[in-house]
PDB file of all heavy atoms in Angstrom:
ATOM      1  N   VAL W   1      82.448  50.343  22.645  1.00  0.00           N
ATOM      2  CA  VAL W   1      81.206  50.216  21.850  1.00  0.00           C
ATOM      3  C   VAL W   1      80.052  50.986  22.591  1.00  0.00           C
ATOM      4  O   VAL W   1      79.888  50.794  23.809  1.00  0.00           O
ATOM      5  CB  VAL W   1      80.818  48.637  21.718  1.00  0.00           C
ATOM      6  CG1 VAL W   1      79.545  48.589  20.953  1.00  0.00           C
ATOM      7  CG2 VAL W   1      81.908  47.910  21.092  1.00  0.00           C
ATOM      8  N   GLN W   2      79.374  51.822  21.791  1.00  0.00           N
ATOM      9  CA  GLN W   2      78.246  52.557  22.435  1.00  0.00           C
ATOM     10  C   GLN W   2      77.133  51.584  22.460  1.00  0.00           C
ATOM     11  O   GLN W   2      76.527  51.273  21.443  1.00  0.00           O
ATOM     12  CB  GLN W   2      77.944  53.793  21.487  1.00  0.00           C
ATOM     13  CG  GLN W   2      79.085  54.888  21.450  1.00  0.00           C
ATOM     14  CD  GLN W   2      79.478  55.332  22.822  1.00  0.00           C
ATOM     15  OE1 GLN W   2      78.574  55.656  23.615  1.00  0.00           O
ATOM     16  NE2 GLN W   2      80.723  55.532  23.069  1.00  0.00           N
ATOM     17  N   ALA W   3      76.759  51.266  23.614  1.00  0.00           N
ATOM     18  CA  ALA W   3      75.629  50.376  23.798  1.00  0.00           C
ATOM     19  C   ALA W   3      74.249  51.064  23.413  1.00  0.00           C
ATOM     20  O   ALA W   3      73.951  52.150  23.862  1.00  0.00           O
ATOM     21  CB  ALA W   3      75.533  49.869  25.183  1.00  0.00           C
ATOM     22  N   GLU W   4      73.587  50.359  22.439  1.00  0.00           N
ATOM     23  CA  GLU W   4      72.243  50.819  22.184  1.00  0.00           C
ATOM     24  C   GLU W   4      71.303  50.225  23.104  1.00  0.00           C
ATOM     25  O   GLU W   4      71.346  49.065  23.498  1.00  0.00           O
ATOM     26  CB  GLU W   4      71.902  50.285  20.757  1.00  0.00           C
ATOM     27  CG  GLU W   4      72.725  50.889  19.680  1.00  0.00           C
ATOM     28  CD  GLU W   4      72.338  50.347  18.283  1.00  0.00           C
ATOM     29  OE1 GLU W   4      71.098  50.427  18.054  1.00  0.00           O
ATOM     30  OE2 GLU W   4      73.145  49.936  17.596  1.00  0.00           O
ATOM     31  N   PRO W   5      70.335  51.072  23.707  1.00  0.00           N
ATOM     32  CA  PRO W   5      69.302  50.459  24.536  1.00  0.00           C
ATOM     33  C   PRO W   5      68.497  49.360  23.853  1.00  0.00           C
ATOM     34  O   PRO W   5      68.133  49.528  22.663  1.00  0.00           O
ATOM     35  CB  PRO W   5      68.479  51.655  24.942  1.00  0.00           C
ATOM     36  CG  PRO W   5      68.698  52.646  23.928  1.00  0.00           C
ATOM     37  CD  PRO W   5      70.068  52.383  23.375  1.00  0.00           C
ATOM     38  N   LEU W   6      68.188  48.297  24.557  1.00  0.00           N
ATOM     39  CA  LEU W   6      67.394  47.312  24.014  1.00  0.00           C
ATOM     40  C   LEU W   6      65.794  47.688  24.138  1.00  0.00           C
ATOM     41  O   LEU W   6      65.481  48.292  25.034  1.00  0.00           O
ATOM     42  CB  LEU W   6      67.500  45.963  24.798  1.00  0.00           C
ATOM     43  CG  LEU W   6      68.867  45.389  24.766  1.00  0.00           C
ATOM     44  CD1 LEU W   6      68.945  44.025  25.554  1.00  0.00           C
ATOM     45  CD2 LEU W   6      69.376  45.095  23.406  1.00  0.00           C
ATOM     46  N   THR W   7      65.081  47.286  23.135  1.00  0.00           N
ATOM     47  CA  THR W   7      63.745  47.516  23.174  1.00  0.00           C
ATOM     48  C   THR W   7      63.029  46.556  24.144  1.00  0.00           C
ATOM     49  O   THR W   7      63.689  45.509  24.577  1.00  0.00           O
ATOM     50  CB  THR W   7      63.005  47.227  21.768  1.00  0.00           C
ATOM     51  OG1 THR W   7      63.137  45.830  21.428  1.00  0.00           O
ATOM     52  CG2 THR W   7      63.741  48.095  20.706  1.00  0.00           C
ATOM     53  N   PRO W   8      61.878  46.826  24.582  1.00  0.00           N
ATOM     54  CA  PRO W   8      61.175  45.862  25.562  1.00  0.00           C
ATOM     55  C   PRO W   8      61.187  44.388  25.016  1.00  0.00           C
ATOM     56  O   PRO W   8      61.428  43.536  25.826  1.00  0.00           O
ATOM     57  CB  PRO W   8      59.765  46.412  25.681  1.00  0.00           C
ATOM     58  CG  PRO W   8      59.999  47.907  25.517  1.00  0.00           C
ATOM     59  CD  PRO W   8      61.034  47.933  24.407  1.00  0.00           C
ATOM     60  N   GLN W   9      60.931  44.209  23.711  1.00  0.00           N
ATOM     61  CA  GLN W   9      60.801  42.925  23.150  1.00  0.00           C
ATOM     62  C   GLN W   9      62.181  42.223  23.112  1.00  0.00           C
ATOM     63  O   GLN W   9      62.383  41.108  23.448  1.00  0.00           O
ATOM     64  CB  GLN W   9      60.219  42.895  21.763  1.00  0.00           C
ATOM     65  CG  GLN W   9      59.949  41.438  21.258  1.00  0.00           C
ATOM     66  CD  GLN W   9      59.269  41.325  20.018  1.00  0.00           C
ATOM     67  OE1 GLN W   9      59.608  41.976  19.054  1.00  0.00           O
ATOM     68  NE2 GLN W   9      58.350  40.477  19.974  1.00  0.00           N
ATOM     69  N   GLU W  10      63.193  43.048  22.768  1.00  0.00           N
ATOM     70  CA  GLU W  10      64.578  42.570  22.846  1.00  0.00           C
ATOM     71  C   GLU W  10      64.993  42.074  24.274  1.00  0.00           C
ATOM     72  O   GLU W  10      65.592  41.064  24.403  1.00  0.00           O
ATOM     73  CB  GLU W  10      65.593  43.609  22.228  1.00  0.00           C
ATOM     74  CG  GLU W  10      65.445  43.783  20.825  1.00  0.00           C
ATOM     75  CD  GLU W  10      66.298  44.943  20.298  1.00  0.00           C
ATOM     76  OE1 GLU W  10      66.583  45.917  21.105  1.00  0.00           O
ATOM     77  OE2 GLU W  10      66.670  44.965  19.136  1.00  0.00           O
ATOM     78  N   ARG W  11      64.660  42.914  25.208  1.00  0.00           N
ATOM     79  CA  ARG W  11      64.879  42.534  26.559  1.00  0.00           C
ATOM     80  C   ARG W  11      64.192  41.260  26.948  1.00  0.00           C
ATOM     81  O   ARG W  11      64.727  40.392  27.686  1.00  0.00           O
ATOM     82  CB  ARG W  11      64.495  43.628  27.533  1.00  0.00           C
ATOM     83  CG  ARG W  11      65.484  44.724  27.686  1.00  0.00           C
ATOM     84  CD  ARG W  11      65.193  45.666  28.864  1.00  0.00           C
ATOM     85  NE  ARG W  11      63.990  46.317  28.835  1.00  0.00           N
ATOM     86  CZ  ARG W  11      63.668  47.473  28.223  1.00  0.00           C
ATOM     87  NH1 ARG W  11      64.671  48.133  27.550  1.00  0.00           N
ATOM     88  NH2 ARG W  11      62.523  48.027  28.207  1.00  0.00           N
ATOM     89  N   ARG W  12      62.996  41.091  26.527  1.00  0.00           N
ATOM     90  CA  ARG W  12      62.153  39.855  26.777  1.00  0.00           C
ATOM     91  C   ARG W  12      62.883  38.664  26.078  1.00  0.00           C
ATOM     92  O   ARG W  12      62.977  37.538  26.699  1.00  0.00           O
ATOM     93  CB  ARG W  12      60.707  40.025  26.306  1.00  0.00           C
ATOM     94  CG  ARG W  12      59.905  38.870  26.636  1.00  0.00           C
ATOM     95  CD  ARG W  12      59.589  38.772  28.086  1.00  0.00           C
ATOM     96  NE  ARG W  12      58.736  37.585  28.254  1.00  0.00           N
ATOM     97  CZ  ARG W  12      58.919  36.674  29.343  1.00  0.00           C
ATOM     98  NH1 ARG W  12      59.925  36.878  30.103  1.00  0.00           N
ATOM     99  NH2 ARG W  12      58.086  35.661  29.370  1.00  0.00           N
ATOM    100  N   ILE W  13      63.372  38.810  24.938  1.00  0.00           N
ATOM    101  CA  ILE W  13      64.012  37.746  24.215  1.00  0.00           C
ATOM    102  C   ILE W  13      65.344  37.283  24.990  1.00  0.00           C
ATOM    103  O   ILE W  13      65.545  36.158  25.272  1.00  0.00           O
ATOM    104  CB  ILE W  13      64.435  38.085  22.743  1.00  0.00           C
ATOM    105  CG1 ILE W  13      63.139  38.233  21.867  1.00  0.00           C
ATOM    106  CG2 ILE W  13      65.406  37.084  22.147  1.00  0.00           C
ATOM    107  CD1 ILE W  13      63.379  38.764  20.488  1.00  0.00           C
ATOM    108  N   VAL W  14      66.064  38.261  25.462  1.00  0.00           N
ATOM    109  CA  VAL W  14      67.296  38.046  26.164  1.00  0.00           C
ATOM    110  C   VAL W  14      66.936  37.284  27.473  1.00  0.00           C
ATOM    111  O   VAL W  14      67.630  36.340  27.829  1.00  0.00           O
ATOM    112  CB  VAL W  14      68.049  39.284  26.487  1.00  0.00           C
ATOM    113  CG1 VAL W  14      69.194  39.035  27.448  1.00  0.00           C
ATOM    114  CG2 VAL W  14      68.652  39.976  25.242  1.00  0.00           C
ATOM    115  N   GLU W  15      65.906  37.652  28.217  1.00  0.00           N
ATOM    116  CA  GLU W  15      65.473  36.988  29.436  1.00  0.00           C
ATOM    117  C   GLU W  15      65.127  35.629  29.131  1.00  0.00           C
ATOM    118  O   GLU W  15      65.452  34.665  29.878  1.00  0.00           O
ATOM    119  CB  GLU W  15      64.181  37.705  30.017  1.00  0.00           C
ATOM    120  CG  GLU W  15      64.494  39.130  30.618  1.00  0.00           C
ATOM    121  CD  GLU W  15      63.302  39.820  30.950  1.00  0.00           C
ATOM    122  OE1 GLU W  15      62.233  39.321  30.893  1.00  0.00           O
ATOM    123  OE2 GLU W  15      63.407  40.967  31.397  1.00  0.00           O
ATOM    124  N   LEU W  16      64.301  35.394  28.066  1.00  0.00           N
ATOM    125  CA  LEU W  16      63.975  33.991  27.750  1.00  0.00           C
ATOM    126  C   LEU W  16      65.172  33.124  27.298  1.00  0.00           C
ATOM    127  O   LEU W  16      65.138  31.921  27.692  1.00  0.00           O
ATOM    128  CB  LEU W  16      62.874  34.058  26.639  1.00  0.00           C
ATOM    129  CG  LEU W  16      61.468  34.552  27.110  1.00  0.00           C
ATOM    130  CD1 LEU W  16      60.586  34.846  25.847  1.00  0.00           C
ATOM    131  CD2 LEU W  16      60.768  33.684  28.132  1.00  0.00           C
ATOM    132  N   VAL W  17      65.996  33.707  26.618  1.00  0.00           N
ATOM    133  CA  VAL W  17      67.297  32.948  26.348  1.00  0.00           C
ATOM    134  C   VAL W  17      68.091  32.635  27.594  1.00  0.00           C
ATOM    135  O   VAL W  17      68.469  31.495  27.695  1.00  0.00           O
ATOM    136  CB  VAL W  17      68.198  33.770  25.302  1.00  0.00           C
ATOM    137  CG1 VAL W  17      69.607  33.213  25.221  1.00  0.00           C
ATOM    138  CG2 VAL W  17      67.557  33.899  23.959  1.00  0.00           C
ATOM    139  N   ALA W  18      68.125  33.561  28.417  1.00  0.00           N
ATOM    140  CA  ALA W  18      68.862  33.360  29.744  1.00  0.00           C
ATOM    141  C   ALA W  18      68.182  32.277  30.638  1.00  0.00           C
ATOM    142  O   ALA W  18      68.773  31.602  31.373  1.00  0.00           O
ATOM    143  CB  ALA W  18      68.921  34.624  30.573  1.00  0.00           C
ATOM    144  N   ASP W  19      66.748  32.204  30.467  1.00  0.00           N
ATOM    145  CA  ASP W  19      66.074  31.143  31.184  1.00  0.00           C
ATOM    146  C   ASP W  19      66.208  29.749  30.528  1.00  0.00           C
ATOM    147  O   ASP W  19      65.689  28.807  30.979  1.00  0.00           O
ATOM    148  CB  ASP W  19      64.570  31.445  31.240  1.00  0.00           C
ATOM    149  CG  ASP W  19      64.363  32.685  32.231  1.00  0.00           C
ATOM    150  OD1 ASP W  19      65.264  32.894  33.168  1.00  0.00           O
ATOM    151  OD2 ASP W  19      63.263  33.322  32.174  1.00  0.00           O
ATOM    152  N   GLY W  20      66.851  29.687  29.365  1.00  0.00           N
ATOM    153  CA  GLY W  20      67.146  28.299  28.765  1.00  0.00           C
ATOM    154  C   GLY W  20      66.159  27.967  27.699  1.00  0.00           C
ATOM    155  O   GLY W  20      66.087  26.787  27.343  1.00  0.00           O
ATOM    156  N   GLY W  21      65.279  28.905  27.290  1.00  0.00           N
ATOM    157  CA  GLY W  21      64.250  28.684  26.316  1.00  0.00           C
ATOM    158  C   GLY W  21      64.828  28.290  24.941  1.00  0.00           C
ATOM    159  O   GLY W  21      65.890  28.906  24.572  1.00  0.00           O
ATOM    160  N   THR W  22      64.264  27.309  24.232  1.00  0.00           N
ATOM    161  CA  THR W  22      64.652  27.063  22.892  1.00  0.00           C
ATOM    162  C   THR W  22      64.019  28.081  21.919  1.00  0.00           C
ATOM    163  O   THR W  22      63.138  28.885  22.342  1.00  0.00           O
ATOM    164  CB  THR W  22      64.167  25.654  22.474  1.00  0.00           C
ATOM    165  OG1 THR W  22      62.707  25.707  22.451  1.00  0.00           O
ATOM    166  CG2 THR W  22      64.631  24.511  23.336  1.00  0.00           C
ATOM    167  N   ASN W  23      64.601  28.188  20.689  1.00  0.00           N
ATOM    168  CA  ASN W  23      63.950  29.102  19.718  1.00  0.00           C
ATOM    169  C   ASN W  23      62.497  28.903  19.554  1.00  0.00           C
ATOM    170  O   ASN W  23      61.709  29.791  19.453  1.00  0.00           O
ATOM    171  CB  ASN W  23      64.716  28.972  18.388  1.00  0.00           C
ATOM    172  CG  ASN W  23      66.031  29.693  18.421  1.00  0.00           C
ATOM    173  OD1 ASN W  23      66.445  30.247  19.428  1.00  0.00           O
ATOM    174  ND2 ASN W  23      66.690  29.738  17.243  1.00  0.00           N
ATOM    175  N   ARG W  24      62.072  27.568  19.497  1.00  0.00           N
ATOM    176  CA  ARG W  24      60.701  27.319  19.338  1.00  0.00           C
ATOM    177  C   ARG W  24      59.836  27.778  20.515  1.00  0.00           C
ATOM    178  O   ARG W  24      58.760  28.358  20.291  1.00  0.00           O
ATOM    179  CB  ARG W  24      60.533  25.751  19.167  1.00  0.00           C
ATOM    180  CG  ARG W  24      58.944  25.342  18.982  1.00  0.00           C
ATOM    181  CD  ARG W  24      58.982  23.931  18.618  1.00  0.00           C
ATOM    182  NE  ARG W  24      59.357  23.840  17.215  1.00  0.00           N
ATOM    183  CZ  ARG W  24      59.639  22.700  16.671  1.00  0.00           C
ATOM    184  NH1 ARG W  24      59.671  21.548  17.266  1.00  0.00           N
ATOM    185  NH2 ARG W  24      59.988  22.670  15.358  1.00  0.00           N
ATOM    186  N   GLU W  25      60.353  27.622  21.734  1.00  0.00           N
ATOM    187  CA  GLU W  25      59.583  27.986  22.913  1.00  0.00           C
ATOM    188  C   GLU W  25      59.513  29.503  22.999  1.00  0.00           C
ATOM    189  O   GLU W  25      58.456  30.144  23.331  1.00  0.00           O
ATOM    190  CB  GLU W  25      60.345  27.521  24.176  1.00  0.00           C
ATOM    191  CG  GLU W  25      60.175  25.963  24.327  1.00  0.00           C
ATOM    192  CD  GLU W  25      61.126  25.418  25.334  1.00  0.00           C
ATOM    193  OE1 GLU W  25      62.082  26.146  25.824  1.00  0.00           O
ATOM    194  OE2 GLU W  25      60.904  24.246  25.752  1.00  0.00           O
ATOM    195  N   ILE W  26      60.590  30.206  22.675  1.00  0.00           N
ATOM    196  CA  ILE W  26      60.669  31.634  22.743  1.00  0.00           C
ATOM    197  C   ILE W  26      59.726  32.269  21.609  1.00  0.00           C
ATOM    198  O   ILE W  26      58.984  33.146  21.992  1.00  0.00           O
ATOM    199  CB  ILE W  26      62.103  32.156  22.603  1.00  0.00           C
ATOM    200  CG1 ILE W  26      62.914  31.740  23.796  1.00  0.00           C
ATOM    201  CG2 ILE W  26      62.150  33.719  22.537  1.00  0.00           C
ATOM    202  CD1 ILE W  26      64.385  31.915  23.640  1.00  0.00           C
ATOM    203  N   ALA W  27      59.839  31.670  20.450  1.00  0.00           N
ATOM    204  CA  ALA W  27      58.936  32.173  19.375  1.00  0.00           C
ATOM    205  C   ALA W  27      57.476  32.012  19.743  1.00  0.00           C
ATOM    206  O   ALA W  27      56.699  32.950  19.605  1.00  0.00           O
ATOM    207  CB  ALA W  27      59.224  31.419  18.105  1.00  0.00           C
ATOM    208  N   ALA W  28      57.107  30.861  20.297  1.00  0.00           N
ATOM    209  CA  ALA W  28      55.732  30.642  20.734  1.00  0.00           C
ATOM    210  C   ALA W  28      55.383  31.647  21.820  1.00  0.00           C
ATOM    211  O   ALA W  28      54.232  32.165  21.769  1.00  0.00           O
ATOM    212  CB  ALA W  28      55.520  29.264  21.175  1.00  0.00           C
ATOM    213  N   ALA W  29      56.201  31.840  22.778  1.00  0.00           N
ATOM    214  CA  ALA W  29      55.875  32.788  23.873  1.00  0.00           C
ATOM    215  C   ALA W  29      55.638  34.188  23.429  1.00  0.00           C
ATOM    216  O   ALA W  29      54.834  34.992  24.002  1.00  0.00           O
ATOM    217  CB  ALA W  29      56.910  32.790  24.930  1.00  0.00           C
ATOM    218  N   LEU W  30      56.314  34.593  22.336  1.00  0.00           N
ATOM    219  CA  LEU W  30      56.270  35.936  21.847  1.00  0.00           C
ATOM    220  C   LEU W  30      55.405  36.052  20.594  1.00  0.00           C
ATOM    221  O   LEU W  30      55.333  37.159  19.995  1.00  0.00           O
ATOM    222  CB  LEU W  30      57.710  36.478  21.557  1.00  0.00           C
ATOM    223  CG  LEU W  30      58.667  36.557  22.721  1.00  0.00           C
ATOM    224  CD1 LEU W  30      60.052  36.880  22.284  1.00  0.00           C
ATOM    225  CD2 LEU W  30      58.026  37.541  23.749  1.00  0.00           C
ATOM    226  N   HIS W  31      54.666  35.000  20.222  1.00  0.00           N
ATOM    227  CA  HIS W  31      53.903  34.988  19.067  1.00  0.00           C
ATOM    228  C   HIS W  31      54.600  35.362  17.778  1.00  0.00           C
ATOM    229  O   HIS W  31      54.096  36.258  17.058  1.00  0.00           O
ATOM    230  CB  HIS W  31      52.600  35.740  19.283  1.00  0.00           C
ATOM    231  CG  HIS W  31      51.846  35.445  20.562  1.00  0.00           C
ATOM    232  ND1 HIS W  31      51.220  34.326  20.657  1.00  0.00           N
ATOM    233  CD2 HIS W  31      51.792  36.130  21.705  1.00  0.00           C
ATOM    234  CE1 HIS W  31      50.615  34.242  21.871  1.00  0.00           C
ATOM    235  NE2 HIS W  31      51.046  35.351  22.575  1.00  0.00           N
ATOM    236  N   LEU W  32      55.812  34.833  17.661  1.00  0.00           N
ATOM    237  CA  LEU W  32      56.641  35.074  16.500  1.00  0.00           C
ATOM    238  C   LEU W  32      56.903  33.707  15.707  1.00  0.00           C
ATOM    239  O   LEU W  32      56.826  32.692  16.256  1.00  0.00           O
ATOM    240  CB  LEU W  32      57.965  35.622  16.901  1.00  0.00           C
ATOM    241  CG  LEU W  32      58.017  36.997  17.665  1.00  0.00           C
ATOM    242  CD1 LEU W  32      59.483  37.264  18.076  1.00  0.00           C
ATOM    243  CD2 LEU W  32      57.560  38.121  16.688  1.00  0.00           C
ATOM    244  N   GLY W  33      57.196  33.972  14.507  1.00  0.00           N
ATOM    245  CA  GLY W  33      57.707  32.711  13.715  1.00  0.00           C
ATOM    246  C   GLY W  33      59.190  32.412  14.163  1.00  0.00           C
ATOM    247  O   GLY W  33      59.930  33.328  14.513  1.00  0.00           O
ATOM    248  N   GLU W  34      59.559  31.192  13.974  1.00  0.00           N
ATOM    249  CA  GLU W  34      60.976  30.842  14.340  1.00  0.00           C
ATOM    250  C   GLU W  34      61.967  31.655  13.500  1.00  0.00           C
ATOM    251  O   GLU W  34      62.989  31.907  14.081  1.00  0.00           O
ATOM    252  CB  GLU W  34      61.181  29.354  14.260  1.00  0.00           C
ATOM    253  CG  GLU W  34      60.507  28.580  15.382  1.00  0.00           C
ATOM    254  CD  GLU W  34      60.836  27.059  15.418  1.00  0.00           C
ATOM    255  OE1 GLU W  34      62.054  26.763  15.468  1.00  0.00           O
ATOM    256  OE2 GLU W  34      59.951  26.355  15.150  1.00  0.00           O
ATOM    257  N   LYS W  35      61.693  31.711  12.239  1.00  0.00           N
ATOM    258  CA  LYS W  35      62.665  32.491  11.361  1.00  0.00           C
ATOM    259  C   LYS W  35      62.806  33.924  11.853  1.00  0.00           C
ATOM    260  O   LYS W  35      63.917  34.517  11.813  1.00  0.00           O
ATOM    261  CB  LYS W  35      62.262  32.321   9.882  1.00  0.00           C
ATOM    262  CG  LYS W  35      62.429  30.992   9.348  1.00  0.00           C
ATOM    263  CD  LYS W  35      63.872  30.650   9.215  1.00  0.00           C
ATOM    264  CE  LYS W  35      64.051  29.283   8.604  1.00  0.00           C
ATOM    265  NZ  LYS W  35      65.430  28.850   8.567  1.00  0.00           N
ATOM    266  N   THR W  36      61.618  34.495  12.125  1.00  0.00           N
ATOM    267  CA  THR W  36      61.638  35.873  12.669  1.00  0.00           C
ATOM    268  C   THR W  36      62.471  36.025  13.895  1.00  0.00           C
ATOM    269  O   THR W  36      63.308  36.923  14.074  1.00  0.00           O
ATOM    270  CB  THR W  36      60.199  36.449  12.933  1.00  0.00           C
ATOM    271  OG1 THR W  36      59.444  36.326  11.724  1.00  0.00           O
ATOM    272  CG2 THR W  36      60.247  37.840  13.448  1.00  0.00           C
ATOM    273  N   LEU W  37      62.297  35.063  14.882  1.00  0.00           N
ATOM    274  CA  LEU W  37      63.077  35.108  16.106  1.00  0.00           C
ATOM    275  C   LEU W  37      64.601  34.821  15.817  1.00  0.00           C
ATOM    276  O   LEU W  37      65.411  35.553  16.389  1.00  0.00           O
ATOM    277  CB  LEU W  37      62.632  33.932  17.018  1.00  0.00           C
ATOM    278  CG  LEU W  37      63.491  33.870  18.295  1.00  0.00           C
ATOM    279  CD1 LEU W  37      63.282  35.126  19.220  1.00  0.00           C
ATOM    280  CD2 LEU W  37      63.173  32.575  19.045  1.00  0.00           C
ATOM    281  N   GLU W  38      64.894  34.019  14.822  1.00  0.00           N
ATOM    282  CA  GLU W  38      66.273  33.854  14.446  1.00  0.00           C
ATOM    283  C   GLU W  38      66.911  35.018  13.939  1.00  0.00           C
ATOM    284  O   GLU W  38      68.034  35.389  14.345  1.00  0.00           O
ATOM    285  CB  GLU W  38      66.435  32.673  13.486  1.00  0.00           C
ATOM    286  CG  GLU W  38      66.161  31.336  13.976  1.00  0.00           C
ATOM    287  CD  GLU W  38      66.137  30.237  12.943  1.00  0.00           C
ATOM    288  OE1 GLU W  38      66.441  30.470  11.782  1.00  0.00           O
ATOM    289  OE2 GLU W  38      65.636  29.127  13.284  1.00  0.00           O
ATOM    290  N   ARG W  39      66.156  35.787  13.063  1.00  0.00           N
ATOM    291  CA  ARG W  39      66.612  37.152  12.704  1.00  0.00           C
ATOM    292  C   ARG W  39      66.893  38.084  13.686  1.00  0.00           C
ATOM    293  O   ARG W  39      67.894  38.837  13.772  1.00  0.00           O
ATOM    294  CB  ARG W  39      65.842  37.632  11.540  1.00  0.00           C
ATOM    295  CG  ARG W  39      65.925  36.944  10.197  1.00  0.00           C
ATOM    296  CD  ARG W  39      65.138  37.646   9.050  1.00  0.00           C
ATOM    297  NE  ARG W  39      63.756  37.671   9.309  1.00  0.00           N
ATOM    298  CZ  ARG W  39      62.832  36.825   8.928  1.00  0.00           C
ATOM    299  NH1 ARG W  39      63.240  35.749   8.375  1.00  0.00           N
ATOM    300  NH2 ARG W  39      61.543  36.902   9.211  1.00  0.00           N
ATOM    301  N   ARG W  40      65.933  38.132  14.708  1.00  0.00           N
ATOM    302  CA  ARG W  40      65.952  39.072  15.792  1.00  0.00           C
ATOM    303  C   ARG W  40      67.210  38.703  16.677  1.00  0.00           C
ATOM    304  O   ARG W  40      67.898  39.574  17.252  1.00  0.00           O
ATOM    305  CB  ARG W  40      64.789  39.145  16.538  1.00  0.00           C
ATOM    306  CG  ARG W  40      63.700  39.769  15.676  1.00  0.00           C
ATOM    307  CD  ARG W  40      62.490  40.274  16.470  1.00  0.00           C
ATOM    308  NE  ARG W  40      61.495  40.929  15.473  1.00  0.00           N
ATOM    309  CZ  ARG W  40      60.300  41.089  15.737  1.00  0.00           C
ATOM    310  NH1 ARG W  40      59.807  40.764  16.924  1.00  0.00           N
ATOM    311  NH2 ARG W  40      59.499  41.677  14.853  1.00  0.00           N
ATOM    312  N   LEU W  41      67.415  37.360  16.888  1.00  0.00           N
ATOM    313  CA  LEU W  41      68.559  36.931  17.748  1.00  0.00           C
ATOM    314  C   LEU W  41      69.811  37.371  17.000  1.00  0.00           C
ATOM    315  O   LEU W  41      70.736  37.911  17.735  1.00  0.00           O
ATOM    316  CB  LEU W  41      68.557  35.410  17.917  1.00  0.00           C
ATOM    317  CG  LEU W  41      67.594  34.920  19.049  1.00  0.00           C
ATOM    318  CD1 LEU W  41      67.506  33.355  18.885  1.00  0.00           C
ATOM    319  CD2 LEU W  41      68.048  35.352  20.403  1.00  0.00           C
ATOM    320  N   THR W  42      70.008  37.209  15.762  1.00  0.00           N
ATOM    321  CA  THR W  42      71.212  37.615  15.030  1.00  0.00           C
ATOM    322  C   THR W  42      71.461  39.082  15.279  1.00  0.00           C
ATOM    323  O   THR W  42      72.595  39.501  15.506  1.00  0.00           O
ATOM    324  CB  THR W  42      71.104  37.282  13.552  1.00  0.00           C
ATOM    325  OG1 THR W  42      70.893  35.814  13.356  1.00  0.00           O
ATOM    326  CG2 THR W  42      72.310  37.672  12.835  1.00  0.00           C
ATOM    327  N   ALA W  43      70.311  39.861  15.046  1.00  0.00           N
ATOM    328  CA  ALA W  43      70.593  41.335  15.253  1.00  0.00           C
ATOM    329  C   ALA W  43      70.880  41.683  16.740  1.00  0.00           C
ATOM    330  O   ALA W  43      71.640  42.539  16.968  1.00  0.00           O
ATOM    331  CB  ALA W  43      69.134  42.058  14.920  1.00  0.00           C
ATOM    332  N   LEU W  44      70.330  40.920  17.632  1.00  0.00           N
ATOM    333  CA  LEU W  44      70.576  41.135  19.079  1.00  0.00           C
ATOM    334  C   LEU W  44      72.090  40.814  19.341  1.00  0.00           C
ATOM    335  O   LEU W  44      72.731  41.523  20.170  1.00  0.00           O
ATOM    336  CB  LEU W  44      69.757  40.275  19.952  1.00  0.00           C
ATOM    337  CG  LEU W  44      68.548  40.824  20.525  1.00  0.00           C
ATOM    338  CD1 LEU W  44      67.635  39.862  21.218  1.00  0.00           C
ATOM    339  CD2 LEU W  44      68.905  42.025  21.478  1.00  0.00           C
TER     340      LEU W  44
END
């Protein structure tokens, strides 16, 4: 699989997930809606 580079925001989402953040906590930290974060996680 040809790995696509992650954007800075995608890297931040991965870091927050790795730190054990919930969707609600990650969304708040990135000033996103929870549904938006869920869509971005699915894409990630």
Side-chain angles (χ1 to χ4, degrees):
V1 177
Q2 297 298 320
E4 296 178 48
L6 298 180
T7 65
Q9 187 174 48
E10 288 171 334
R11 279 194 300 273
R12 183 71 180 132
I13 291 171
V14 172
E15 290 169 5
L16 292 169
V17 166
D19 288 341
T22 64
N23 282 4
R24 178 172 286 162
E25 293 167 344
I26 296 169
L30 299 174
H31 307 289
L32 299 172
E34 283 186 64
K35 291 291 183 185
T36 301
L37 176 67
E38 289 170 12
R39 284 190 298 272
R40 293 201 180 158
L41 279 169
T42 300
L44 262 171

